[in-house]
Amino acid sequence: MLDTANANQTDIDALMLDIGRSARAAARPLAIAPTEQKNAALIAMADAILAGEEAILAANAIDVENGKASGLTGSFMDRLTLDSNRVAAIAKGIREVAELKDPVGEIMAAWERPNGLRIERVRTPLGVIGVIYESRPNVTADAGALCLKAGNAVILRGGSDSVHSSRAIHACLVKGLEKAGLPADAIQLVPVTDRAAVGAMLTGLEGTIDVIVPRGGKSLVARVQSEARVPVFAHLEGLCHIYVDASADLEMAKKIVVNSKMRRTGICGAAETLLVDSAAIGTHLMPILEALTEAGCEIRASATVLKVHPGFKPATEEDWRTEYLDAIIAVAIVDGVSGAIDHINRYSSNHTEAVLAEDPDVVERFFNEIDSAILLHNASTQFADGGEFGMGAEIGIATGKMHARGPVGVEQLTSFKYRVRGTGQVRP
Amino acid sequence: MLDTANANQTDIDALMLDIGRSARAAARPLAIAPTEQKNAALIAMADAILAGEEAILAANAIDVENGKASGLTGSFMDRLTLDSNRVAAIAKGIREVAELKDPVGEIMAAWERPNGLRIERVRTPLGVIGVIYESRPNVTADAGALCLKAGNAVILRGGSDSVHSSRAIHACLVKGLEKAGLPADAIQLVPVTDRAAVGAMLTGLEGTIDVIVPRGGKSLVARVQSEARVPVFAHLEGLCHIYVDASADLEMAKKIVVNSKMRRTGICGAAETLLVDSAAIGTHLMPILEALTEAGCEIRASATVLKVHPGFKPATEEDWRTEYLDAIIAVAIVDGVSGAIDHINRYSSNHTEAVLAEDPDVVERFFNEIDSAILLHNASTQFADGGEFGMGAEIGIATGKMHARGPVGVEQLTSFKYRVRGTGQVRP
């Protein structure tokens, strides 16, 4: 491993290029590896995680201590901290990936042409995936397992905050690969925490990286958008909205709003802005705000809300653009579903939005006229999750429109090719 | 229209940003326009093309004359030149797009979760597509029609060689939009031919362009790869290979090789390199080379070919990397299907490759171990075409692995979103 204390840009570029080339070399056998071999590796990985719990928790304790010392916030610490249950959940997650259907080789469509040509569209791996993430150590395992199942090599670059945890988890993944006879280079963790390593990955490492998956906050996303020279699965923040129509069932609305905001505040599917129909000011607004307050949530209220119910902290323009990832919610009054659509199309990060309404016309307009990855009716925004969608573990929720959108699971980590079988056809 | 003679970068940036913003504004009504309205526009466009034949051919005559004067090559001129039949084909192509199924709103998948959540994945338009192309004037119509059908606004930037033809065709498309009551800005042709306009599009025009589709030669592709700040449907060159195995039927092989190379030399699906199994030197090699020579094709032969049959022009390393788009083919001997796979994985642009063989094991290895968009068995590479695949008109053959691969038709020009219907579910 490189002595990171003395590493300069040239050293890091050379190191990263080496990583890229060995990932590309590993990708070829991986692409044609049988399902059984990939699953054997995954199960061995899960076993190694469970067997390595003590080492993983010890490594995590160092990250947690460093995180406290550097003043990380509550939701950041929530994402970072592991315990015995979370380690078991990581192993369980890997086992669940083993149980997923192997997407590689799946015939997505097949048809025959009048001239007798038989055409198949068949799933293939993408190749080499670069994952750049921040504090959550479980991403190391999730991303490694998912990429492997889809026949891809992966280069993982975790945040410096979780570096010890990620290294401990990565060691378990490599054990699994080796036990199944797959190349250890199929899942590589960048050994240095320098930002220069991220810059090198964003160049595509001389064509050795096929796609970058960034998982992180605004500054990472901005950097990726300005520097990336390879395709990116855009994962913007989750600035999720929940709209309460006057036709909404009040009891259901209270329950769903509180769950959307407060179940876990640190995940991207947590609601950040509550929009209430102006026709529901007298009926729904206050009971919902009271339920939120009771649950420990801070309210940041628009001028219209304050006119009716003074006393809340006022929201500024910045609040409509903020992913709090904390027990805070911005609240605005809108002019029915049209007003909700306008507000969301203006401020949303196109991740997830929910409409609470009994009027089907309201729901249809909300579903048709908002172009976010996930739209929910009468359900919590916290269902924005690949597992909850039945798609298995996910590498994140893509907010872009290209290739993958919404939960990025094993199927979304593939490409496809066409196989055409003829009997001597030439084109007239 | 801007006075192009006096346009400077600032003028062009301002002009392009205007185009981007009006495209974005047009995209919203287009995204929810009913199928009937989009089809009415397409049919009116086709009518306007037929009615405007005289004007289109007159405009094309100027381009052809300019092209001759500037010394454009045979296949370039073939792509550029229109006649009455080709104008009729353009109109027919638009009508065929009208007949295609509207992809927008199609439910791609639907399932229910154990907790009662009903999930649908539904097709949506991509938004605004930027198409940058070179000499073929028919791309103006194909791209305009396809983007419209998929509910997308499009910004077309044609090459200066076909500028008069493209403007004449574009005028017909606008007539169709207006007749159907759709915004004229839904299909815009960049009015200036400055390269700076391409540079502006590659920045994404302040987020108004969602994806760039480049259609052109190496220099355009290189520019797009280095400058693009938005997602790109990669369309590299078509460096297509055809491999003749010793098990191939000789008569079939002669017919398919000649068709793959010579039917039309200027299209991206034309074969550029012929690989012959070393075990077929005594049986297949010379008859196939004779058939090519008879058809008027120049042979560039590898050292091994020359050892057996001296007299051909020798191939250099550069020949294995060249898309001739002309009546020239490079020929090499390879060590069976393994040698063919190695050669193709080294030199291919991952567009289209064909295997001619009767041995099914050879075909399976070729199909599994080569990662190109289209693989054909016992059929001409010139079938690499959306129409021939039954996918309707296409905007090109994508060689990248993200989102679209192979023929990019109306379905590939869409994204999707998830619609989730609940009855009050909160996440435990």
Side-chain angles (χ1 to χ4, degrees):
Chain A
M1 191 178 299
L2 198 72
D3 176 358
T4 68
N6 295 316
N8 62 29
Q9 180 74 52
T10 312
D11 293 337
I12 288 172
D13 285 349
L15 166 79
M16 294 305 296
L17 192 54
D18 256 10
I19 290 176
R21 286 185 181 144
S22 42
R24 175 62 70 198
R28 200 172 282 187
L30 210 59
I32 53 175
T35 306
E36 304 70 45
Q37 193 181 15
K38 293 188 287 188
N39 287 347
L42 290 165
I43 288 162
M45 286 175 190
D47 291 346
I49 294 273
L50 290 178
E53 179 189 317
E54 201 176 326
I56 293 169
L57 290 181
N60 185 247
I62 301 173
D63 290 332
V64 168
E65 196 173 317
N66 293 344
K68 279 181 192 155
S70 58
L72 293 181
T73 66
S75 66
F76 233 84
M77 290 302 290
D78 174 40
R79 293 173 189 227
L80 175 59
T81 307
L82 298 178
D83 57 21
S84 191
N85 285 337
R86 285 195 178 176
V87 171
I90 289 173
K92 184 163 167 276
I94 298 175
R95 279 181 185 283
E96 283 170 359
V97 173
E99 279 158 27
L100 293 175
K101 199 176 158 301
D102 187 345
V104 177
E106 186 199 332
I107 293 171
M108 305 162 72
W111 62 99
E112 188 167 332
R113 298 291 299 152
N115 62 7
L117 287 180
R118 287 179 297 128
I119 303 181
E120 290 174 347
R121 188 190 288 142
V122 59
R123 279 198 203 281
T124 62
L126 278 169
V128 177
I129 298 175
V131 183
I132 303 171
Y133 54 104
E134 294 185 337
S135 58
R136 286 196 223 194
N138 61 304
V139 175
T140 305
D142 291 351
L146 286 168
C147 290
L148 178 72
K149 182 78 186 213
N152 299 298
V154 62
I155 300 171
L156 301 164
R157 200 284 184 185
S160 50
D161 295 325
S162 56
V163 61
H164 299 92
S165 318
S166 291
R167 283 180 189 162
I169 292 170
H170 176 251
C172 301
L173 304 186
V174 170
K175 276 184 200 159
L177 287 170
E178 286 172 343
K179 194 161 176 197
L182 287 171
D185 289 342
I187 304 177
Q188 295 181 76
L189 181 70
V190 175
V192 298
T193 56
D194 304 68
R195 280 170 51 89
V198 173
M201 284 175 77
L202 295 178
T203 66
L205 300 174
E206 298 193 356
T208 60
I209 294 184
D210 291 295
V211 58
I212 292 281
V213 182
R215 293 293 314 280
K218 273 190 174 180
S219 67
L220 173 63
V221 169
R223 184 172 184 202
V224 169
Q225 283 179 333
S226 82
E227 290 183 31
R229 291 290 170 278
V230 279
V232 171
F233 282 163
H235 285 73
L236 294 182
E237 54 190 349
L239 213 166
C240 305
H241 295 77
I242 186 159
Y243 166 63
V244 179
D245 191 69
S247 70
D249 178 292
L250 177 58
E251 286 313 304
M252 187 194 287
K254 279 160 58 178
K255 204 174 54 155
I256 291 178
V257 169
V258 170
N259 185 266
S260 296
K261 177 70 250 183
M262 298 300 290
R263 173 185 160 272
R264 272 182 83 178
T265 57
I267 66 171
C268 60
E272 305 293 3
T273 299
L274 170 67
L275 304 172
V276 178
D277 188 352
S278 58
I281 290 178
T283 50
H284 296 64
L285 179 62
M286 220 33 217
I288 291 172
L289 296 188
E290 277 164 5
L292 281 164
T293 307
E294 255 169 53
C297 184
E298 176 185 328
I299 310 285
R300 305 233 176 131
S302 73
T304 317
V305 173
L306 289 175
K307 224 184 293 176
V308 197
H309 299 290
F312 293 117
K313 183 169 173 179
T316 66
E317 172 69 18
E318 194 50 31
D319 282 296
W320 315 122
R321 305 181 187 279
T322 301
E323 185 189 26
Y324 301 111
L325 296 173
D326 210 339
I328 307 171
I329 196 163
V331 184
I333 304 297
V334 292
D335 188 9
V337 68
S338 298
I341 292 167
D342 288 347
H343 182 105
I344 291 169
N345 282 337
R346 183 161 172 200
Y347 294 108
S348 171
S349 63
N350 301 119
H351 186 295
T352 295
E353 333 290 348
V355 53
L356 310 185
E358 297 303 313
D359 179 344
D361 293 344
V362 165
V363 180
E364 285 317 299
R365 282 203 59 202
F366 194 90
F367 274 16
N368 283 329
E369 298 183 31
I370 295 174
D371 192 22
S372 293
I374 300 173
L375 300 169
L376 297 134
H377 171 226
N378 286 355
S380 168
T381 59
Q382 301 228 356
F383 284 113
D385 177 283
E388 293 299 321
F389 273 51
M391 294 160 66
E394 60 166 60
I395 209 165
I397 306 279
T399 56
K401 293 190 203 174
M402 304 294 292
H403 193 93
R405 198 179 200 204
V408 180
V410 71
E411 209 174 80
Q412 286 70 33
L413 293 173
T414 61
S415 182
F416 57 87
K417 62 185 173 188
Y418 292 93
R419 295 175 171 178
V420 184
R421 294 171 206 272
T423 51
Q425 286 86 343
V426 295
R427 191 166 167 194
Chain B
M1 191 179 298
L2 199 70
D3 176 357
T4 67
N6 294 317
N8 61 31
Q9 179 75 52
T10 313
D11 292 337
I12 287 172
D13 284 350
L15 166 80
M16 294 304 298
L17 191 54
D18 256 10
I19 290 176
R21 286 184 180 146
S22 41
R24 176 63 68 197
R28 200 172 281 188
L30 211 60
I32 54 175
T35 306
E36 303 71 42
Q37 194 181 14
K38 293 187 286 188
N39 287 345
L42 290 166
I43 287 162
M45 286 175 190
D47 291 345
I49 295 274
L50 290 177
E53 179 189 316
E54 201 177 326
I56 293 168
L57 290 181
N60 184 246
I62 302 173
D63 290 333
V64 168
E65 196 173 318
N66 292 344
K68 279 181 192 155
S70 59
L72 294 182
T73 65
S75 66
F76 233 84
M77 290 303 290
D78 173 42
R79 293 172 189 227
L80 175 59
T81 308
L82 297 178
D83 57 20
S84 192
N85 284 338
R86 285 196 178 174
V87 171
I90 290 173
K92 184 163 168 275
I94 298 175
R95 278 181 186 284
E96 285 170 358
V97 173
E99 281 158 25
L100 293 174
K101 199 173 160 303
D102 188 345
V104 177
E106 184 199 333
I107 294 170
M108 304 162 73
W111 63 97
E112 189 167 331
R113 297 291 301 151
N115 61 7
L117 288 180
R118 288 178 297 129
I119 303 181
E120 290 173 348
R121 188 190 289 143
V122 59
R123 279 198 202 282
T124 62
L126 278 169
V128 177
I129 297 175
V131 183
I132 303 171
Y133 53 105
E134 294 184 339
S135 60
R136 288 197 221 191
N138 62 303
V139 174
T140 306
D142 291 351
L146 286 168
C147 290
L148 178 72
K149 183 77 185 218
N152 300 299
V154 61
I155 300 170
L156 302 164
R157 200 286 187 182
S160 50
D161 296 324
S162 55
V163 62
H164 299 91
S165 319
S166 291
R167 282 180 189 163
I169 292 169
H170 176 251
C172 300
L173 305 186
V174 170
K175 274 184 200 160
L177 288 169
E178 286 173 342
K179 195 161 174 197
L182 287 171
D185 289 343
I187 304 178
Q188 295 180 75
L189 180 69
V190 176
V192 298
T193 55
D194 302 70
R195 281 170 51 90
V198 172
M201 285 175 76
L202 296 179
T203 65
L205 300 173
E206 298 192 357
T208 60
I209 293 183
D210 292 294
V211 59
I212 292 280
V213 182
R215 294 291 314 279
K218 275 191 172 176
S219 66
L220 173 63
V221 169
R223 183 171 183 203
V224 169
Q225 283 180 330
S226 81
E227 290 183 29
R229 292 290 170 280
V230 279
V232 171
F233 283 164
H235 286 72
L236 294 183
E237 55 191 348
L239 214 166
C240 306
H241 295 77
I242 186 159
Y243 166 62
V244 180
D245 190 70
S247 71
D249 177 292
L250 177 58
E251 286 313 305
M252 187 194 286
K254 279 160 60 177
K255 208 173 53 151
I256 292 178
V257 170
V258 170
N259 185 266
S260 295
K261 176 70 250 185
M262 298 299 291
R263 173 184 161 271
R264 274 182 82 178
T265 57
I267 66 172
C268 61
E272 306 293 3
T273 299
L274 169 67
L275 303 172
V276 177
D277 188 351
S278 58
I281 289 179
T283 50
H284 296 64
L285 179 61
M286 219 33 216
I288 291 171
L289 296 189
E290 277 164 4
L292 282 164
T293 306
E294 255 169 51
C297 184
E298 176 185 327
I299 309 287
R300 305 233 175 130
S302 73
T304 318
V305 173
L306 289 174
K307 226 184 289 176
V308 196
H309 298 291
F312 293 117
K313 184 169 171 180
T316 66
E317 172 69 17
E318 194 51 30
D319 282 296
W320 314 121
R321 303 180 188 280
T322 301
E323 186 189 25
Y324 300 111
L325 296 172
D326 210 338
I328 307 171
I329 197 163
V331 184
I333 303 298
V334 292
D335 189 10
V337 68
S338 298
I341 291 167
D342 288 347
H343 183 105
I344 291 170
N345 282 337
R346 182 159 174 204
Y347 294 108
S348 172
S349 63
N350 302 119
H351 186 294
T352 295
E353 333 290 348
V355 54
L356 310 186
E358 297 303 313
D359 179 343
D361 293 344
V362 165
V363 179
E364 284 318 297
R365 282 203 58 202
F366 193 91
F367 273 17
N368 282 331
E369 298 183 31
I370 295 175
D371 191 23
S372 293
I374 300 172
L375 301 168
L376 297 135
H377 170 227
N378 286 355
S380 169
T381 59
Q382 301 230 355
F383 284 113
D385 175 284
E388 294 297 322
F389 272 52
M391 293 160 68
E394 61 167 56
I395 210 165
I397 307 279
T399 56
K401 292 192 204 173
M402 304 294 291
H403 193 93
R405 197 179 201 206
V408 180
V410 71
E411 208 174 81
Q412 285 71 33
L413 294 173
T414 61
S415 181
F416 57 86
K417 62 184 173 189
Y418 292 93
R419 295 174 171 178
V420 183
R421 294 171 204 274
T423 51
Q425 286 87 342
V426 295
R427 191 167 168 192

